Amino acid sequence: FIDAGKIPLRAGVLRLIDEAIAADVRLAVCSTSNEKAVSNLVSTLMGPERAAKFQIYAGDMVKAKKPAPDVYNMAVDRMGLDKSRCVIVEDSHIGLGAALAAGISCIVTKSSYTGNEDFTGADRVVQELGDDAETGITLETLTSLLKEEA
């Protein structure tokens, strides 16, 4: 289904990614799936030009999968990032748990599969990112969630 483009990205994902790319924001996908599957998914759903802007960190690259923070810690370390300057976009309680354990800001977009999960601790919870930049989540919204530097 994915290779045939039958599973679309959720509302607002490409708009927000394009906004981030235009602003030279460094991007990563951190998943519990294996690296090959994640890379294929990103390339197929976002196109090779966008995919080239992402670093991929996957479940088969770390000792412990989400809700352990390993995949997020690996991304931060390998990309040389400051956790206080990162925001994670998640869609599940397990992913939120990993973000919280890593000490990184997190916005949760509910999905049909995770809508009833407990998202206590998220910096923000929304139904979707939104295709309209006027009413949806923007880079400015994500920047407002950054941790205050000590």
Side-chain angles (χ1 to χ4, degrees), residues 9-23 25 27 45-46 50 54 89 107 109 124 126-142:
L9 284 169
R10 296 178 56 208
V13 171
L14 291 181
R15 177 192 54 76
L16 189 57
I17 288 169
D18 288 343
E19 187 180 346
I21 290 169
V25 172
L27 300 169
L45 295 178
M46 298 183 196
R50 286 185 188 101
F54 281 87
V89 179
I107 183 170
T109 63
R124 186 150 176 197
V126 296
Q127 293 298 323
E128 64 176 41
L129 298 175
D131 282 329
D132 183 354
E134 294 298 316
T135 57
I137 300 300
T138 63
L139 202 54
E140 184 178 351
T141 310
L142 297 182

Side-chain angles (χ1 to χ4, degrees), residues 26 56-57 61 73-81:
R26 297 179 65 201
I56 304 292
Y57 299 97
M61 300 169 72
N73 289 334
M74 175 184 275
V76 167
D77 291 344
R78 289 199 179 167
M79 294 175 75
L81 302 174

